[in-house]
Amino acid sequence: MSDLQSPAAPAGRADDEAPGPATAAADEPTPTGRRTLLPGSTLLRHLLVLAVAAVGAVVLLEITDPFTNSQLATLSYYAIAAGGLTVLTGMNGQISLGHGALMAVGAYTTALFLSAEEPLPLPLILLAAVVVATAVGALVGVAAARLHGPYLAGATLALAVGLPGLAIYFHDLLGGEQGLRVRAPRAPEAFDSFISAVSGNAASNTKWLAYLGAICLLITYFLLANLVHSRIGRTWRAVRDQEVAAELAGIDLGLWRVLAFTVSAAAAGLAGGVLALVVRLAAPSGFTLVLSLSLLTAIVIGGLGSLLGALLGSALLVFLPPFVTDLGSDWGLNDTEAAQLAPFVYGVVLVVVMIFAPAGVVGTVRRRWLTRRATRSAAGPSGG
Amino acid sequence: MQYFVNVTLTGLTEGMVYAAFALALVLIWRSTRIVNFAQGSMAAATTFIALALIQDGQSYWVALVVALASGFVLGAVVERVVIRPVEGGPELNAVIVTLGLFVAIQAGIAIVFGSSFQSFGTPFGLQGFQVGDDRIALTPNSVFVIVSVLLTMALLVVLFRFTRVGLAMRASAFGQEVARLLGVRVGRMLTLGWALAAVVGSLAGLLIAGGEFVYPAYMDSLIVFGFVAAVLGGLDSPVGAIVGGLVLGLALSYVSGYVERGSALVNVAALAILMVVLLVRPGGLFASSTARRA
């Protein structure tokens, strides 16, 4: 009766409360008698975190060099997609290997809208990318809601392998193998004056894209964090952990699964839009199976079910490859061989994490922390 | 008419390979309730071993035997080292582990053998047979493909039906506890199951490579096709895997042969077929009604 098992059971233990970025500690319900400086309302707390993170992002982008700026732009679209996947896989227990394909939907939408004679304002274009990806996601979600485990994995795998073929088939519209070039719009003047007011640095296009990515990332994580802390998030976890009980409580399992898939597809669509702007290209070669599997790697390593984990995992995706590739070159591998070292490490890490620490980095750390706190205040049950 | 015959023959030949690959997935699913997404990478690894031997001057047959043998070892090692800890655990963990293997092995191949396209020879010709005035799309190589898949299936039937080891393997897959009580070394049987599946998968990899170019990711579509074929047949039924493989082979061949620029649509068609089957008959065409819940 594997239907009854929670697919993410070991990870789920420590994940009952999923944190927004950087709120892992603050999220635990405060035991009576313990004082905290953070506001009690979830929304206010997340707004506070958002403000701090926004300041942090500006500082980070201003003190780093242009190359790191572009790496951070890359990080932003990985993290947006991984955040969406966290909602789906971590919160709702549905695995998806097709999120790369949903990113492709967002990227192609963005590229098409930007290629118009008089392109719409950028926020509207990104919104369109989200809407189209959401529609595709809802469609896939309806099919996916009836599947579980390996069946779902296989179906979404087919999505990842199959969908880029459409870009080749409709090559007049979508540019075939070459794909569509993306004309990234210039930064608005307000941005230039903002940058020179803040740091006195000159605003480059790279920096503008990095800021754009950071803004999208912050908005996405703010919305997702609030969502997973709301009734909706709790219902998703109930569907994941206690399928039968949830159904008995009057929850329509299928509907909630479709909703999770849709929300997650929306994030993937936005990620695809940002990707198209940063890479300046939407082509089938950008949305390989490896992309979808990398996103899965990010959320598994970070810790299934935690947005902070998704962010950490995405950072690993961005900053690990150059490091590993250099290491490979030092060992005497040639360039193409060294480039393959990163996926090799991802694969091995994925296996090792699943065997030895299925809760991922954040989950494992949090579990340690909870255990320590529980032993310290042994007088009564704490931490929920 | 002749075009139709040729498209059908191509579909049947490719369908046989999909069937073999699906059979490998079904063997593992029956024994451990895991879909081995690393199957494609494992098969690619053994194909590259064979390629290295052929380039070294060995004959195709030596390379074939060595590749199948290394598939056997690889399957056994994979089950013992990385699958054993997640067996019987949450589904998601097993899925993620096989995906991790998939990525790691594929990248490993690229590191060891390089990621360029290399042509893979065939033991038999790729020139179609002459029938009357026409050349048909049945080549000596496709006869070799069909015969070797049929032979493998026959050997598996003999193994499972008529030998003690086969009986023990079926018992382990059917009810681990009972089998263990009756003195079956269940762990050993599961390892053997993975090893045999890897041999069948390796054979499929070698057959699909014949006369084509190989590169580390050349099996990516095949894992999807194999999965679709296995699901068509119900994932639990070896006969279903074979029928599913043939049906899929024909369907994809017709899409590629009759739709304009259809070759770009083959992967999409596989996706569409999978979606339709899963929506209409989630248990597949041959599965018993309880199979998906077990």
Side-chain angles (χ1 to χ4, degrees):
Chain A
M1 293 295 281
S2 58
D3 278 10
L4 291 178
Q5 284 172 359
S6 115
R13 278 298 80 76
D15 291 343
D16 299 325
E17 288 285 324
T23 60
D27 267 355
E28 301 308 327
T30 324
T32 40
R34 215 177 265 246
R35 297 186 68 87
T36 168
L37 291 172
L38 286 165
S41 144
T42 310
L43 189 65
L44 277 180
R45 209 164 54 217
H46 287 162
L47 273 174
L48 191 71
V49 174
L50 179 69
V52 173
V55 174
V58 172
V59 172
L60 191 63
L61 287 173
E62 287 308 318
I63 60 170
T64 50
D65 56 300
F67 177 67
T68 315
N69 272 195
S70 72
Q71 279 188 316
L72 288 171
T74 308
L75 168 62
S76 67
Y77 63 72
Y78 275 133
I80 294 169
L85 197 56
T86 290
V87 166
L88 184 70
T89 308
M91 303 287 155
N92 200 229
Q94 303 185 71
I95 194 167
S96 167
L97 313 179
H99 265 52
L102 293 170
M103 283 175 76
V105 172
Y108 273 99
T109 311
T110 307
L112 282 176
F113 271 94
L114 275 174
S115 66
E117 287 287 324
E118 292 268 318
L120 293 165
L122 196 55
L124 279 184
I125 291 178
L126 288 176
L127 197 64
V130 171
V131 170
V132 176
T134 306
V136 175
L139 208 68
V140 179
V142 170
R146 301 181 55 178
L147 310 173
H148 66 94
Y151 286 91
L152 182 55
T156 49
L157 183 77
L159 183 72
V161 173
L163 211 60
L166 286 180
I168 297 168
Y169 186 71
F170 296 107
H171 65 74
D172 291 336
L173 180 67
L174 300 176
E177 291 278 7
Q178 273 74 44
L180 297 174
R181 297 210 157 277
V182 176
R183 291 182 301 172
R186 301 268 324 138
E189 282 184 16
F191 173 73
D192 293 356
S193 46
F194 169 75
I195 291 301
S196 56
V198 167
S199 64
N201 297 341
S204 64
N205 214 27
T206 314
K207 184 166 276 186
W208 160 237
L209 290 173
Y211 269 95
L212 199 69
I215 293 166
C216 292
L217 174 65
L218 289 175
I219 294 175
T220 309
Y221 271 42
F222 176 69
L223 294 176
L224 289 180
N226 283 317
L227 198 62
V228 298
H229 275 274
S230 67
R231 208 167 65 88
I232 297 173
R234 284 194 296 278
T235 313
W236 277 335
R237 287 193 288 273
V239 170
R240 174 193 72 189
D241 292 337
Q242 296 293 337
E243 214 174 59
V244 173
E247 204 164 14
L248 286 173
I251 293 170
D252 184 341
L253 299 181
L255 203 68
W256 285 90
R257 289 203 173 112
V258 175
L259 183 67
F261 213 102
T262 311
V263 168
S264 148
L270 181 62
V274 175
L275 179 146
L277 292 171
V278 171
V279 182
R280 286 174 205 171
L281 183 70
S285 58
F287 304 98
T288 55
L289 190 54
V290 173
L291 173 68
S292 297
L293 295 181
S294 301
L295 293 176
L296 188 73
T297 313
I299 66 165
V300 168
I301 294 173
L304 277 175
S306 135
L307 286 175
L308 179 64
L311 189 66
L312 287 179
S314 309
L316 201 71
L317 288 187
V318 177
F319 294 107
L320 185 73
F323 174 74
V324 175
T325 309
D326 285 350
L327 210 64
S329 305
D330 288 349
W331 290 341
L333 296 174
N334 68 34
D335 287 354
T336 44
E337 289 165 357
Q340 289 294 328
L341 213 53
F344 181 74
V345 171
Y346 289 156
V348 172
V349 167
L350 210 50
V351 173
V352 170
V353 166
M354 256 307 132
I355 292 176
F356 294 105
V361 176
V362 171
T364 308
V365 169
R366 178 122 45 89
R367 190 183 297 173
R368 290 258 164 79
W369 186 77
L370 280 176
T371 325
R372 249 206 1 235
R373 206 179 64 172
T375 39
R376 219 187 304 150
S377 57
S382 73
Chain B
M1 182 60 199
Q2 197 214 345
Y3 186 68
F4 176 78
V5 171
N6 283 343
V7 171
T8 308
L9 284 172
T10 313
L12 284 177
T13 313
E14 285 177 1
M16 283 310 255
V17 183
Y18 303 158
F21 202 72
L23 195 61
L25 290 175
V26 167
L27 281 178
I28 286 178
W29 174 261
R30 277 167 77 92
S31 65
T32 44
R33 295 284 140 184
I34 290 174
V35 170
N36 182 16
F37 287 105
Q39 190 100 68
S41 293
M42 288 163 66
T46 57
T47 305
F48 270 90
I49 291 174
L51 182 64
L53 286 173
I54 291 171
Q55 285 171 346
D56 204 40
Q58 302 290 335
S59 81
Y60 181 90
W61 305 106
V62 173
L64 178 80
V65 171
V66 173
L68 295 186
S70 46
F72 188 88
V73 175
L74 185 61
V77 169
V78 162
E79 198 275 340
R80 269 290 145 108
V81 178
V82 300
I83 301 299
R84 190 61 60 88
V86 295
E87 260 169 19
E91 288 179 336
L92 197 65
N93 294 16
V95 170
I96 291 171
V97 164
T98 60
L99 288 169
L101 269 183
F102 168 25
V103 179
I105 294 177
Q106 197 170 90
I109 296 169
I111 293 171
V112 177
F113 298 102
S115 43
S116 58
F117 284 59
Q118 303 184 53
S119 74
F120 195 94
T122 53
F124 300 102
L126 294 168
Q127 192 63 268
F129 288 115
Q130 191 85 27
V131 176
D133 292 336
D134 302 315
R135 259 186 203 290
I136 57 169
L138 190 74
T139 68
N141 187 56
S142 41
V143 173
F144 166 63
V145 168
I146 293 169
V147 168
S148 41
V149 173
L150 288 178
L151 189 68
T152 310
M153 286 164 183
L155 285 174
L156 284 176
V157 169
V158 170
L159 173 77
F160 280 107
R161 281 277 153 80
F162 303 109
T163 65
R164 280 188 68 82
V165 175
L167 181 65
M169 286 177 73
R170 279 191 292 153
S172 310
F174 188 72
Q176 290 202 4
E177 290 304 311
V178 180
R180 198 167 276 133
L181 284 173
L182 293 173
V184 175
R185 309 279 297 260
V186 172
R188 209 171 274 187
M189 291 306 132
L190 296 185
T191 310
L192 185 61
W194 273 73
L196 282 179
V199 171
V200 179
S202 299
L203 180 72
L206 282 168
L207 293 178
I208 202 85
E212 301 279 339
F213 286 95
V214 293
Y215 50 99
Y218 85 97
M219 294 286 284
D220 275 10
S221 312
L222 200 61
I223 181 76
V224 174
F225 298 159
F227 181 79
V228 175
V231 169
L232 277 175
L235 207 49
D236 217 17
S237 144
V239 178
I242 295 159
V243 176
L246 290 177
V247 168
L248 185 72
L250 286 173
L252 295 187
S253 187
Y254 291 139
V255 167
S256 149
Y258 283 101
V259 180
E260 199 188 345
R261 281 191 281 121
S263 53
L265 284 184
V266 169
N267 286 337
V268 186
L271 169 67
I273 293 171
L274 179 67
M275 283 298 171
V276 169
V277 172
L278 285 176
L279 287 178
V280 176
R281 237 186 111 84
L285 304 174
F286 284 78
S288 56
S289 58
T290 54
R292 262 189 80 215
R293 299 206 149 252

